[in-house]
């Protein structure tokens, strides 16, 4: 171990950065600050495979890559730096698990159609557009004893061009009979199905012409499955040990075809008129309000629901259950909307208030913000025991895993309170962004998910302003987005997908977190009011239709004609169609009177992946800067095409600069040594001279640059040193630091090394831990930080923490309502 590193870890004063240059282990990581040349294979577009959602981000498992790199580390600093390398290598191993083939899933499937379905007349993944559905009249009978589901559907079809083939989706369904009529007259047709494609084709004896009225009627048998997709079984275990079943649906992205034959692509919008047969003891729900119930015999009833608004198949939903509910009407909407929370009787008591309050306020806020009335009479929110996702925005019938809907005032955590509110708002935002206006095809999934993710913060912040949710935007969106997008395994926000397996793969940090981050960046650049007016026009113009990214940009551009001298369309196109994001470097010259921004290149975590073609990526980058002498941020553009250096003359000389103020832009900034030195000094002197988000961003970038070999470890440790004083009590920087330290520690195998590293961690956190303490504070974000800090510190076995935890645990054993 070098003396300087040993001193740092032992808590002694920090020597100068220069002392440490020779501590770098041999090999790739030896590259120092501001140097980033390398030679390796071309960047290939591969789909990122990490699980999407920020609510349940996957843990990275340590792989054999880890073990290999470990073996080569010798001294402590070597090991520490090695760990950072391992982390990066490990990230690569994880993100590449599903990407080891050069031929896409879609290409493979298309290649195999002729052997799997030799006589099938439509060997394509996408449906033909010659026929489109107008209205489905669907009756479905999910039997909760046999778990068989039978149904019949009449589909009114529009003929767009003369054809003798009707092709639609059906997967795992047994068609028992069918009939096709043209202007009311029966016509012969031959049925072919290709289970491999999840399709059904009807070859007509005579072609049908444009404008003719065709009806396709199909009877079918399917199942109430066990696999959480299509129409599936939800099992509730009561506290008395008894079991009860319900039937629910999860169709997004491509599983409506498992419940009923349909044109299962988002652009085939139609009206759905649904009837559900059920036992008398059950209730049923669908997207629309109940119109009437027929009694079939003593125990069987059929519920008939109102015809739906025009919508895509992936948003259709039904549910059959015996839940209880809590209901309230909205007051400040165009018409009163009946909002109900449904959950099992023994789960719902006293736990629905938060979701109900958020749903009502959310609907009221969103209706006013988007200026398009919510078109349905009711909005049901359903808590499920068995649910693959976090929540799903089915129009009028939103489904949730129960832990993301039910809040227990006395027992649930502050984090859980925040998650419930944000998830409810997220799914409500989809009722406009996604349901009313839907992406034409899944390549623009981010239009749904990026917007819903942005709005979930923006609107929850308006409904519960004292939670200061926008302060957490950086660590919950930019952090995971920048992480995933710093790999060659990432993909552009707008990405070509064809096969259902590929579609499932893009519900990831790029569509969600990067999508939300660049929307926040655009709104910041254009101003809230013009941006809002643009969104309103977009929703009004495309309601009940489909749109793509460019449709949105064109409308927004009308409201935001210029941002400096760059156009919104150019900016938006660059940021949504190119994979990755830029790394820019910043330094101060001429005695601090000139800010120089230079070297726009794509940031890639792994040195081995940095080929020259990353220079080909160019973005118009809004450099949003502030300095120690001018705290009001200003924006200048570093354009992709006008040379590489940008010189900004500052009105007053600066010691340090923040070049991406409040993490407003989706990029990283690497400062030169002099700036880092001043920043570290500033943090020690008065950290509040930088905003909490600025502190989080500088630290997160610094951790990432050490891992990527752009920055010396000592510079990072020098920045971190201010934490020891215990004055940092904002959550954002701590989320970065605790998360990054934890990741590093998880990779240490050598027990001595763990001890040394933990001693260093204890030193960083101890004072803040004792300042925060255990007593409940009023502030929402302090409470979250308290919990996170206690968890971190107790894991480090700090005596005070362990003792306090044990006392509370004994109290809880005596009185478990505490
Ligand atoms: N539309 C998604 C649900 C979804 C996710 C369907 C993946 C199919 C595949 C929904 O709006 C959503 O984003 N849910 C999140 C929770 C959300 C608050 C981030 C989820 O399920 O993780
Ligand atoms: Zn969503």
């Amino acid at each position: 171990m070098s003396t300087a590193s040993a001193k740092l870890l032992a808590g002694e004063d920090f020597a100068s950065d220069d002392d440490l240059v020779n501590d770098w282990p041999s090999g790739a990581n030896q590259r120092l600050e501001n140097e980033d040349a390398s030679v390796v294979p071309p960047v290939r577009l591969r789909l990122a495979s990490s699980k999407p959602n920020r609510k349940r981000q996957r843990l990275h498992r340590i792989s054999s890559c880890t073990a290999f790199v470990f073996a080569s580390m010798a001294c402590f600093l070597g090991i520490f730096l090695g760990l950072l390398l391992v982390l990066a290598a490990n990230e690569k191993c994880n993100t590449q698990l599903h990407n080891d083939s050069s031929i896409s899933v879609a290409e493979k499937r298309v290649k195999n159609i002729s052997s799997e379905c030799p006589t099938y007349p439509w060997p394509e993944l996408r449906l033909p557009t010659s026929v489109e559905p107008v209205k489905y009249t669907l009756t479905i009978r999910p039997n909760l004893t046999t778990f068989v589901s039978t149904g019949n559907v009449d589909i009114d079809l529009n003929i767009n061009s003369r054809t003798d083939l009707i092709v639609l989706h059906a997967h795992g369904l047994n068609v028992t009979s069918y009939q096709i009529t043209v202007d009311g007259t029966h016509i012969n047709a031959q049925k072919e199905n290709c289970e491999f494609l999840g399709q059904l084709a009807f070859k007509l004896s005579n072609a049908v012409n444009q404008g003719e009225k065709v009806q396709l009627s199909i009877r079918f048998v399917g199942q109430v499955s066990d696999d959480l997709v299509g129409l599936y079984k939800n099992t509730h275990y009561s506290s008395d040990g008894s079991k009860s079943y319900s039937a629910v649906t999860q169709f997004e992205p491509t599983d409506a075809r498992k419940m009923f034959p349909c044109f299962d692509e988002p652009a085939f919008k139609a009206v759905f008129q649904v009837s559900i047969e059920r036992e008398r003891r059950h209730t049923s729900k669908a997207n629309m309000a109940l119109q009437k119930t027929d009694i079939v015999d003593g125990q069987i009833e059929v519920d008939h629901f109102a015809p739906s608004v025009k919508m895509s198949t992936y948003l259709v939903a039904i549910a059959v259950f015996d839940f209880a509910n809590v209901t309230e009407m909205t007051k400040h909407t165009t018409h009163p909307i009946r909002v109900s929370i449904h959950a099992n009787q023994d789960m719902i008591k006293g736990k629905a208030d938060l979701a109900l309050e958020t749903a009502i306020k959310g609907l009221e806020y969103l209706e006013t913000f988007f200026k398009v009335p919510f078109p349905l009479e009711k909005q049901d929110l359903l808590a499920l025991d068995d649910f693959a996702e976090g929540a799903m925005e089915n129009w009028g019938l939103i489904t949730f895993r129960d832990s993301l809907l039910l809040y227990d005032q006395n027992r649930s955590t502050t984090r859980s309170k925040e998650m419930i509110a944000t998830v409810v708002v997220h799914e409500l935002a989809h009722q406009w962004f996604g349901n009313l206006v839907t992406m034409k095809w899944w390549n623009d999934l981010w239009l749904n998910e990026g917007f819903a993710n942005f709005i979930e913060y923006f609107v929850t912040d308006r409904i519960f302003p004292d939670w200061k949710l926008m302060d957490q935007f950086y660590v919950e969106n930019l952090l995971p987005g920048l992480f995933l997008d710093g790999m060659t395994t990432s993909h552009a926000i707008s990405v070509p997908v064809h096969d259902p397996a590929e579609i499932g793969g893009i519900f990831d940090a790029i569509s969600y977190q990067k999508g939300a981050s660049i929307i926040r960046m655009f709104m910041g650049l254009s101003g809230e009011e013009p941006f809002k007016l643009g969104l309103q026009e977009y929703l009004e113009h495309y309601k009940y239709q489909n749109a793509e990214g460019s449709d949105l940009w064109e409308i927004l551009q009308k409201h935001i004609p210029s941002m400096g001298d760059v156009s919104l369309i150019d900016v938006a196109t660059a940021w949504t169609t190119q994979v990755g994001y830029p790394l820019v470097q910043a330094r101060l010259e001429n005695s601090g009177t000139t800010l120089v921004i230079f070297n726009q290149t794509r940031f890639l975590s792994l040195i081995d992946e940095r080929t020259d073609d990353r220079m080909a990526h160019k973005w118009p980058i809004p450099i949003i800067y502030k300095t120690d002498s001018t705290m009001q941020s200003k924006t200048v553009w570093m354009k992709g095409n006008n040379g590489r250096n940008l010189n900004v003359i500052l009105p007053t000389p600066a010691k340090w600069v923040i070049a991406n103020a409040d993490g407003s832009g989706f990029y990283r900034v690497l400062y030169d040594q002099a700036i880092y030195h001043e920043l570290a000094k500033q943090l020690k002197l008065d950290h509040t001279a930088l905003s909490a988000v600025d502190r989080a961003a500088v630290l997160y970038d610094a951790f990432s640059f050490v891992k990527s070999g752009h920055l010396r470890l000592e510079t990072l440790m020098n920045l971190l040193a201010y934490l020891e004083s215990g004055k940092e009590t904002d959550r954002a920087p701590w989320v970065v630091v605790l998360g990054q330290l934890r990741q590093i520690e998880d990779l240490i195998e050598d027990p001595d090394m763990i001890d040394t590293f933990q001693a260093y961690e204890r030193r960083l956190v101890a004072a803040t831990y004792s300042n925060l303490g255990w007593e409940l504070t009023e502030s929402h974000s302090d409470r979250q930080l308290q919990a996170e800090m206690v968890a971190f510190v107790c894991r480090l076995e700090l005596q005070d923490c362990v003792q306090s935890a044990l006392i509370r645990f004994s109290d809880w054993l005596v009185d478990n309502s505490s």
Side-chain angles (χ1 to χ4, degrees):
M1 190 190 314
S2 82
T3 39
S5 327
K7 273 202 268 177
L8 278 169
L9 289 157
E12 290 175 38
D13 275 343
F14 177 51
S16 88
D17 275 348
D18 296 338
D19 294 350
L20 300 169
V21 172
N22 294 330
D23 287 351
W24 286 75
S26 63
N29 219 23
Q30 208 162 9
R31 289 174 207 288
L32 295 182
E33 242 91 340
N34 312 353
E35 180 196 335
D36 109 12
S38 49
V39 198
V40 220
V43 177
R44 276 175 292 147
L45 183 115
R46 282 177 252 138
L47 290 174
S49 59
S50 76
K51 175 74 192 164
N53 93 56
R54 74 178 176 87
K55 311 293 174 190
R56 290 173 282 120
Q57 271 162 24
R58 279 190 181 168
L59 292 174
H60 289 277
R61 271 172 295 124
I62 298 175
S63 67
S64 54
C65 308
T66 312
F68 172 75
V69 187
F70 246 115
S72 64
M73 303 299 161
C75 66
F76 176 78
L77 184 58
I79 292 181
F80 188 55
L81 290 168
L83 286 168
L84 295 167
L85 256 186
V86 166
L87 209 57
N90 189 41
E91 283 155 9
K92 182 184 179 188
C93 293
N94 280 310
T95 52
Q96 286 191 332
L97 286 175
H98 305 263
N99 297 300
D100 46 13
S101 148
S102 58
I103 150 164
S104 79
V105 182
E107 283 166 339
K108 265 190 207 150
R109 194 181 302 261
V110 170
K111 252 176 81 186
N112 289 339
I113 296 173
S114 53
S115 56
E116 296 284 337
C117 303
T119 60
Y120 190 67
W122 184 256
E124 307 277 341
L125 283 164
R126 296 289 299 273
L127 300 182
T129 50
S130 46
V131 177
E132 65 180 22
V134 178
K135 182 176 179 187
Y136 295 78
T137 308
L138 170 70
T139 301
I140 193 91
R141 304 171 200 89
N143 186 317
L144 284 172
T145 309
T146 60
F147 300 106
V148 170
S149 157
T150 58
N152 47 277
V153 63
D154 299 329
I155 313 176
D156 299 340
L157 301 169
N158 229 354
I159 307 301
N160 290 329
S161 57
R162 184 178 159 80
T163 183
D164 61 356
L165 198 61
I166 299 174
V167 186
L168 69 166
H169 290 106
H171 195 174
L173 299 175
N174 188 7
V175 172
T176 48
S177 69
Y178 62 92
Q179 149 134 320
I180 295 171
T181 59
V182 180
D183 289 323
T185 309
H186 172 86
I187 174 173
N188 283 333
Q190 192 65 39
K191 171 178 80 74
E192 286 267 358
N193 74 317
C194 176
E195 199 55 32
F196 180 68
L197 281 176
Q199 285 183 15
L200 202 56
F202 295 92
K203 185 106 178 61
L204 310 181
S205 54
N206 296 312
V208 286
N209 295 308
Q210 187 185 2
E212 282 180 326
K213 286 198 175 348
V214 175
Q215 192 180 61
L216 167 63
S217 303
I218 305 175
R219 288 178 180 279
F220 54 92
V221 180
Q223 41 167 331
V224 183
S225 80
D226 275 325
D227 51 12
L228 308 179
V229 292
L231 175 65
Y232 73 91
K233 181 207 294 180
N234 176 67
T235 312
H236 178 71
Y237 295 87
S238 300
S239 38
D240 63 8
S242 62
K243 261 201 274 189
S244 57
Y245 297 112
S246 33
V248 290
T249 51
Q250 169 56 41
F251 290 167
E252 191 183 16
T254 55
D255 288 320
R257 62 193 71 172
K258 290 186 176 162
M259 185 177 92
F260 67 111
C262 57
F263 294 73
D264 200 7
E265 294 183 3
F268 286 117
K269 286 197 175 186
V271 169
F272 295 81
Q273 182 156 9
V274 174
S275 301
I276 302 172
E277 187 179 294
R278 55 165 176 81
E279 286 178 62
R280 204 176 162 172
R281 65 193 172 102
H282 286 133
T283 305
S284 82
K285 293 281 168 197
N287 302 89
M288 306 303 288
L290 180 67
Q291 274 188 325
K292 65 168 181 149
T293 298
D294 290 336
I295 297 173
V296 176
D297 67 37
Q299 290 314 310
I300 303 292
E301 299 182 348
V302 181
D303 292 327
H304 301 280
F305 296 89
S308 76
V309 289
K310 228 177 139 191
M311 60 192 270
S312 306
T313 46
Y314 80 90
L315 294 166
V316 171
I318 68 153
V320 178
F321 52 68
D322 58 357
F323 293 174
N325 70 78
V326 181
T327 298
E328 206 178 304
M329 304 298 287
T330 57
K331 292 190 190 68
H332 309 289
T333 43
T334 325
H335 62 265
I337 305 161
R338 201 173 66 250
V339 182
S340 310
I341 313 290
H342 304 263
N344 265 286
Q345 185 78 53
D346 58 344
M347 302 277 291
I348 197 169
K349 220 168 148 229
K351 296 187 197 157
D353 297 350
L354 174 67
L356 195 58
E357 179 192 350
T358 312
I360 288 181
K361 289 186 172 157
L363 280 167
E364 293 172 346
Y365 190 93
L366 288 164
E367 223 192 56
T368 318
F369 187 80
F370 290 137
K371 229 175 142 193
V372 181
F374 182 70
L376 314 186
E377 270 175 50
K378 60 91 177 177
Q379 178 68 72
D380 290 305
L381 298 92
L382 215 59
L384 299 170
D385 304 72
D386 303 326
F387 194 59
E389 310 304 334
M392 174 65 209
E393 70 265 27
N394 314 301
W395 215 341
L397 180 53
I398 307 178
T399 44
F400 296 80
R401 36 174 86 187
D402 49 13
S403 59
L404 288 176
L405 193 65
L406 304 177
Y407 175 75
D408 183 336
Q409 178 94 28
N410 298 319
R411 287 163 185 244
S412 306
T413 61
T414 308
R415 178 80 185 137
S416 142
K417 184 179 190 178
E418 185 177 301
M419 280 186 12
I420 289 166
T422 51
V423 174
V424 168
V425 172
H426 177 111
E427 304 311 335
L428 290 177
H430 275 311
Q431 309 296 305
W432 285 263
F433 253 95
N435 300 11
L436 187 68
V437 180
T438 313
M439 72 251 139
K440 268 200 184 126
W441 179 245
W442 297 104
N443 61 317
D444 271 327
L445 172 74
W446 79 279
L447 274 182
N448 274 11
E449 297 303 349
F451 259 94
N453 224 39
F454 170 72
I455 287 165
E456 105 186 34
Y457 288 83
F458 181 76
V459 172
T460 313
D461 185 52
R462 300 285 158 98
I463 302 178
F464 300 109
D466 52 326
W467 294 3
K468 302 215 169 39
L469 216 58
M470 283 317 271
D471 285 359
Q472 296 188 36
F473 191 93
Y474 179 85
V475 290
E476 294 183 359
N477 290 279
L478 282 107
L479 190 149
L482 291 167
F483 168 74
L484 185 60
D485 213 20
M487 306 284 157
T488 51
T489 45
S490 188
H491 61 84
I493 281 187
S494 178
V495 61
V497 281
H498 309 281
D499 194 88
E502 292 172 333
I503 297 166
I506 58 167
F507 285 81
D508 64 3
I510 299 304
S511 303
Y512 279 72
Q513 279 90 359
K514 182 179 180 183
S517 303
I518 67 146
I519 289 158
R520 171 170 162 272
M521 177 165 93
F522 296 152
M523 194 196 238
L525 292 166
S526 37
E528 185 180 321
E529 194 56 24
F531 198 76
K532 182 178 86 179
L533 293 176
L535 295 184
Q536 289 175 352
E537 186 182 330
Y538 167 79
L539 289 172
E540 182 59 37
H541 188 273
Y542 287 101
K543 65 185 181 191
Y544 305 112
Q545 298 176 53
N546 299 76
E548 40 193 15
S550 54
D551 299 325
L552 174 62
W553 308 136
E554 261 164 45
I555 290 186
L556 279 174
Q557 172 131 321
K558 287 201 305 191
H559 294 266
I560 308 148
S562 92
M563 300 191 297
D565 60 346
V566 289
S567 85
L568 184 128
I569 292 185
D570 290 348
V571 178
T573 308
W575 287 88
T576 54
T577 59
Q578 294 188 106
V579 63
Y581 56 87
L583 153 67
V584 296
Q585 302 189 37
R587 67 169 174 259
L588 287 166
E589 285 181 0
N590 302 331
S591 313
T593 54
T594 310
L595 164 64
V596 184
I597 305 286
F598 60 107
N599 257 5
Q600 162 173 177
T601 48
R602 178 178 177 197
F603 174 81
L604 284 168
S605 286
L606 296 178
I607 289 175
D608 285 355
E609 290 180 342
R610 292 189 209 133
T611 55
D612 284 344
D613 63 356
R614 92 205 127 94
M615 306 287 185
H617 292 77
K618 285 283 171 266
W619 293 263
I621 310 170
I623 303 292
I624 305 153
Y625 67 94
K626 53 189 176 193
T627 73
D628 54 306
S629 51
T630 48
M631 289 311 286
Q632 187 62 37
S633 64
K634 292 212 172 73
T635 304
V636 286
W637 285 88
M638 181 181 210
K639 284 181 239 157
N641 52 6
N642 64 351
R644 293 174 59 182
N645 280 20
L646 179 73
N647 291 327
V648 185
I649 309 297
L650 302 173
T652 34
K655 287 197 211 109
W656 51 258
V657 60
I658 295 291
N660 182 12
D662 292 317
S664 315
F666 194 77
Y667 58 90
R668 293 192 195 276
V669 185
L670 177 64
Y671 299 97
D672 82 345
Q673 274 300 303
I675 296 181
Y676 277 123
H677 190 72
E678 289 297 329
L679 284 172
K681 254 170 62 184
Q682 180 66 66
L683 289 172
K684 279 188 200 144
L685 190 70
D686 172 14
H687 64 287
T688 60
L690 280 77
S691 73
V693 179
D694 285 337
R695 303 196 294 274
V698 167
L699 294 178
Y700 181 51
D701 280 351
F703 268 105
S704 311
F705 290 143
V706 171
K707 284 195 254 176
S708 64
H710 290 89
L711 191 69
R712 283 179 288 196
L713 174 63
E714 293 72 17
T715 310
L716 168 65
M717 291 172 99
N718 203 14
L719 289 169
L720 293 175
Y722 87 104
L723 297 171
E724 290 179 33
S725 72
K727 290 186 190 142
E728 179 59 272
T729 49
D730 266 294
R731 182 166 178 258
W734 275 118
V735 170
V736 168
V737 172
L738 300 184
Q740 298 289 309
L741 291 176
R742 183 71 207 264
Q743 265 188 324
I744 296 164
E745 196 195 316
D746 280 350
L747 295 169
I748 305 179
E749 281 180 346
D750 176 349
D752 292 341
M753 186 57 58
I754 290 182
D755 289 347
T756 319
F757 189 74
Q758 288 192 340
Y760 171 65
E761 291 181 295
R762 274 187 215 107
R763 257 206 2 258
L764 288 184
V765 298
T768 306
Y769 159 75
S770 54
N771 288 348
L772 286 168
W774 283 73
E775 291 315 313
L776 285 185
T777 55
E778 274 303 301
S779 147
H780 175 87
S781 74
D782 283 359
R783 286 172 75 133
Q784 277 193 68
L785 177 59
Q786 257 180 327
E788 286 154 353
M789 187 57 81
V790 161
F792 192 86
V793 169
C794 276
R795 196 182 47 82
L796 292 173
E797 296 179 16
L798 214 82
Q799 237 202 348
D800 179 80
C801 191
V802 175
Q803 269 169 6
S804 304
L806 284 173
I807 292 169
R808 281 167 172 80
F809 182 65
S810 324
D811 289 351
W812 179 79
L813 286 178
V814 177
D815 169 14
N816 77 359
S817 71
S818 67

